[in-house]
Amino acid sequence: MDALKKAAALISGSEKIVAFTGAGISVESGIPPFRGENGLWSRFDPSFLELSFFYSNPGESWKLIRDIFYEYFGKAKPNEAHYFLAKLEENGKLIGVITQNIDNLHQEAGSKKVVEYHGNSKYLVCTKCGERYDFTPKIIEKIPPLCEKCKGVLKPDFIFFGEGIPLNAIAETERLLNEGDLLMVIGTTGEVYPAGLIPVEAKKKGMAIIEINPETSKVTHFADVFLRMKATFAAKALEKELGL
Ligand code: APR
């Protein structure tokens, strides 16, 4: 049976699908990945996203954060792959998306249960008093943005290198992996930890794994089905195969 038919059979046979997504699912929405072709880390030094660097050089760090992450904010739109996962959830087949992405595109596509493993660029938090702010372009006209209440430096509410994963994201991920029976891994190198342990954990728990990626990754060698395709191509092909 060819890979696409095998993937469709696994999807139609599951009511407890969990999706695990990385930057690759948003590439066709115009957001560059971090690694591989046109990767951000081949153009920028990721050390500006080290937590220690941010605290000691907030202005410098914020200059790159604004240019790299907020450049696409509000412009990028969900693509067929984001909508495909939202449709599987609506049809009662998918119980949650665990995403490493901070672009909010799963939520904008209509996904309800989204675990933001690396946080979300939609919010800023004061590093001094903890006050939270919704992101607006105005808020970063002056950088580093300061808290209206205490003048503390605001930080995007996404995870920097060296920063812990939100506890609720860890708990929700554990719950989904305990309940799920099929993991769809879409658009991740699987190289960053602890997120990269999620497919390994899923395999240990006996979940079947479908990987969608035009390149191989750290997951490929233990995936049950590897669709060597771009996310939107695979989404359209699977929707056709499933008659969705
Ligand atoms: N469709 C599907 N996958 C794609 C596409 C596409 N159109 N284009 C690229 N990819 C794949 C690449 O082959 C690669 O495997 O997406 C993956 C992108 O890898 P990374 O850029 O490393 O993204 P990700 O795995 O999400 O990175 C994890 O690293 O820098 C940190 O916090 C950041 O969340 C990020 C984490």
Side-chain angles (χ1 to χ4, degrees):
M1 184 193 277
D2 82 350
L4 190 72
K5 286 198 180 332
K6 204 173 160 204
L10 284 170
I11 292 168
S12 49
S14 168
E15 301 281 305
K16 298 198 175 302
I17 301 170
V18 179
F20 175 55
T21 64
I25 197 171
S26 298
V27 163
E28 292 161 272
S29 295
I31 300 180
F34 295 98
R35 298 168 190 82
E37 197 186 324
N38 188 31
L40 287 168
W41 298 150
S42 58
R43 290 179 276 152
F44 300 97
D45 174 358
S47 62
F48 77 93
L49 273 187
E50 291 284 346
L51 199 58
S52 47
F53 181 85
F54 175 80
Y55 280 117
S56 34
N57 312 276
E60 226 181 296
S61 186
W62 255 109
K63 232 184 262 135
L64 280 164
I65 291 169
R66 178 184 57 190
D67 297 350
I68 294 177
F69 296 105
Y70 289 103
E71 161 67 20
Y72 305 99
F73 197 91
K75 292 181 200 148
K77 295 287 167 243
N79 61 50
E80 292 90 339
H82 295 103
Y83 286 116
F84 175 57
L85 295 180
K87 195 183 282 184
L88 287 177
E89 183 185 47
E90 207 181 317
N91 295 358
K93 294 183 73 59
L94 182 135
I95 54 174
V97 177
I98 305 163
T99 188
Q100 300 172 86
N101 302 338
I102 58 173
D103 55 32
N104 206 53
L105 292 184
H106 285 299
Q107 293 90 332
E108 287 175 33
S111 286
K112 301 275 178 292
K113 181 69 200 158
V114 181
V115 178
E116 297 173 323
Y117 208 74
H118 288 162
N120 190 317
S121 55
K122 256 189 82 169
Y123 309 102
L124 306 182
V125 186
C126 175
T127 54
K128 225 161 128 193
C129 72
E131 181 75 6
R132 284 171 70 82
Y133 296 80
D134 285 349
F135 171 79
T136 61
K138 193 165 168 15
I139 215 165
I140 57 169
E141 271 169 5
K142 225 172 93 21
I143 48 172
L146 302 178
C147 177
E148 281 156 14
K149 283 198 165 166
C150 74
K151 298 292 166 234
V153 171
L154 300 185
K155 173 184 169 297
D157 194 21
F158 56 73
I159 304 304
F160 283 42
F161 291 114
E163 188 173 0
I165 302 297
L167 292 180
N168 62 326
I170 295 175
E172 275 308 293
T173 295
E174 207 47 37
R175 188 182 66 75
L176 289 172
L177 294 186
N178 286 335
E179 203 186 318
D181 55 17
L182 170 59
L183 187 77
M184 293 182 72
V185 181
I186 308 176
T188 183
T189 43
E191 285 179 15
V192 170
Y193 292 90
L197 292 174
I198 289 171
V200 177
E201 184 78 9
K203 193 74 188 173
K204 272 193 211 145
K205 290 178 185 291
M207 289 174 81
I209 297 187
I210 296 171
E211 181 182 28
I212 297 171
N213 195 323
E215 308 289 336
T216 57
S217 74
K218 290 260 188 272
V219 179
T220 313
H221 69 282
F222 61 88
D224 297 276
V225 184
F226 175 45
L227 299 181
R228 188 188 271 272
M229 302 169 186
K230 291 187 173 182
T232 60
F233 183 89
K236 285 180 274 195
L238 285 168
E239 284 201 9
K240 193 158 161 261
E241 198 65 34
L242 292 161
L244 286 182

